[in-house]
Amino acid sequence: MSEVFRNTVRVRFKHCDAAGIVFYPRYFEMLNDLIEDWFRDALDWPFDAMHGAGHAGVPTAEIACRFVAPSRLGELLTRELRVMQLGRSSFTVRVSFAGPGGDTRLELTQRLVCVDTAAITPQPLPAAVREAMGRYLDASAAQR
Amino acid sequence: MSEVFRNTVRVRFKHCDAAGIVFYPRYFEMLNDLIEDWFRDALDWPFDAMHGAGHAGVPTAEIACRFVAPSRLGELLTRELRVMQLGRSSFTVRVSFAGPGGDTRLELTQRLVCVDTAAITPQPLPAAVREAMGRYLDASAAQR
Amino acid sequence: MSEVFRNTVRVRFKHCDAAGIVFYPRYFEMLNDLIEDWFRDALDWPFDAMHGAGHAGVPTAEIACRFVAPSRLGELLTRELRVMQLGRSSFTVRVSFAGPGGDTRLELTQRLVCVDTAAITPQPLPAAVREAMGRYLDASAAQR
Amino acid sequence: MSEVFRNTVRVRFKHCDAAGIVFYPRYFEMLNDLIEDWFRDALDWPFDAMHGAGHAGVPTAEIACRFVAPSRLGELLTRELRVMQLGRSSFTVRVSFAGPGGDTRLELTQRLVCVDTAAITPQPLPAAVREAMGRYLDASAAQR
């Protein structure tokens, strides 16, 4: 019933360090891209509209990540996102990245907050966006 | 008695996003620079020696970060590092970034693992490096 | 007759600076992605095979770029690549990025060299790769 | 008589690619840092004042770079900047990066334009900034 937002990203040369594996700050760029894709493709509030006319942004308040196994140049990673908590202005997502064989590469939870970008103070999520996010609310999380 | 490793970093144009504040993946680059500085300046195992002749690396296994307040272009941030746990091949650090007025910008704990970079499998920290790390072991953490 | 290699890239939040336009070092990451796509999709020598079993790389020797107009968050840019010169180990490409309306954002020429990654010394391009590159040789350039 | 603006930058882990050398888009971040240092340390117009109260920026219009030799993890590079041309709103600098032994790693010329960041249209350089830039004008260039 509850949906999962899912897409893929190729491990690029720019992502890899001298050891030939993804440099972990680059994973957070891939994560930010995923959030951006979710807002554009699933929540109908693309970042250009949000940051432009909306004068809003969604900075990260907390993040906890476990890097399970390294990823290598050329691999196609699958990213999955579920909503764990949905507040008035903040929301928490659970994200995993998996390798081509389905093995977990990383698992994380991230709490983001909708803010007014002039003052960087919290503001309520637009009702339509909050409602769309609800479709991705993890059933087991909701019961807690 | 236990030491704190501390240095500063300027918020650069390259770090800032369209909202004029540090884009959080860039904080993790600043964090990686801090770890690199610690190895070179305090542990006498610079990354070029580690990754070169040492065939070793210290990838991140886990990270948990709380972003307390935004940082802006031009600010000089102070980074502090303490060791919370010191294993045979893994070690956990606690790091904080503070603004020019001493206010906290972020707080994190990070667990890194010393690995053989060919196989990306754990290997013991060199004895001298492990001993040098011990000087930064947080007294309160050590008692737990 | 001569082909053009072409694909698109979305301007992401991570690409944009405090002025809300693409930060120019990020354009060079987009350029590197394009070269990587060309090798994988058109030349049948993906970067993971090149850098792995091939012990080869294609670092940049020269680049000259004109930034014609700024690009903004959310825009879909079209990238086009043509070969201008094809040597034994080096090759020169001409690349342009255009906005959604077809207006030029940047134009550049880049000379890359195939090298042995252990010594970082030139080595001949594999015959099949060089032949595949030939299909993208700009007719007007070839006559010069 | 004409001055050279000069400082150093350490090659960091974050700068290096899978071949263990500086990934060239990272050089352009180092270049942007140099320009930023010059504005803060020599021209008395730090980027935070420029982009903040000044509502101005200095995007790059053209860049031409020759990468002469690779740079490796841990090396301390020396960056030098000279002014080649000084217009009303645009200015051209010549920059070189050298290795620890003084050998050239890259040489480039870059033309930047002072713009109003709201409209991204040219605006005159502040008189004091333009005058300070004049001290770095290369004598041989000035005679051309």
Side-chain angles (χ1 to χ4, degrees), chain B:
Chain B
M1 210 128 86
S2 75
E3 294 178 39
V4 175
F5 184 76
R6 184 186 287 113
N7 66 21
T8 58
V9 60
R10 176 81 59 187
V11 176
R12 299 288 198 155
F13 192 71
K14 69 182 174 192
H15 297 134
C16 294
D17 64 18
I21 61 176
V22 174
F23 180 50
Y24 77 89
R26 291 292 198 173
Y27 274 130
F28 294 112
E29 290 190 0
M30 295 182 196
L31 171 63
N32 201 68
D33 288 349
L34 177 69
I35 300 291
E36 198 170 336
D37 291 343
W38 185 45
F39 271 84
R40 188 186 60 235
D41 298 343
L43 306 181
D44 198 26
W45 202 27
F47 271 27
D48 51 317
M50 181 200 293
H51 281 88
H55 302 292
V58 286
T60 294
E62 288 180 82
I63 203 160
C65 184
R66 201 162 61 91
F67 300 93
V68 179
S71 299
R72 294 179 185 284
L73 183 56
E75 288 186 323
L76 193 69
L77 306 182
T78 298
R79 301 177 285 197
E80 290 192 350
L81 176 154
R82 289 164 178 83
V83 174
M84 302 309 283
Q85 200 183 35
L86 187 46
R88 213 175 69 103
S89 60
S90 85
F91 54 101
T92 302
V93 295
R94 185 154 57 84
V95 171
S96 64
F97 285 25
D103 59 311
T104 302
R105 298 297 167 81
L106 66 81
E107 286 178 328
L108 64 86
T109 57
Q110 181 185 21
R111 189 166 67 86
L112 304 99
V113 183
C114 185
V115 302
D116 173 308
T117 44
I120 315 283
T121 50
Q123 69 170 40
L125 286 160
V129 172
R130 200 178 177 284
E131 191 182 318
M133 281 182 175
R135 296 202 316 268
Y136 297 89
L137 195 59
D138 188 85
S140 58
Q143 288 167 354
R144 278 177 226 166

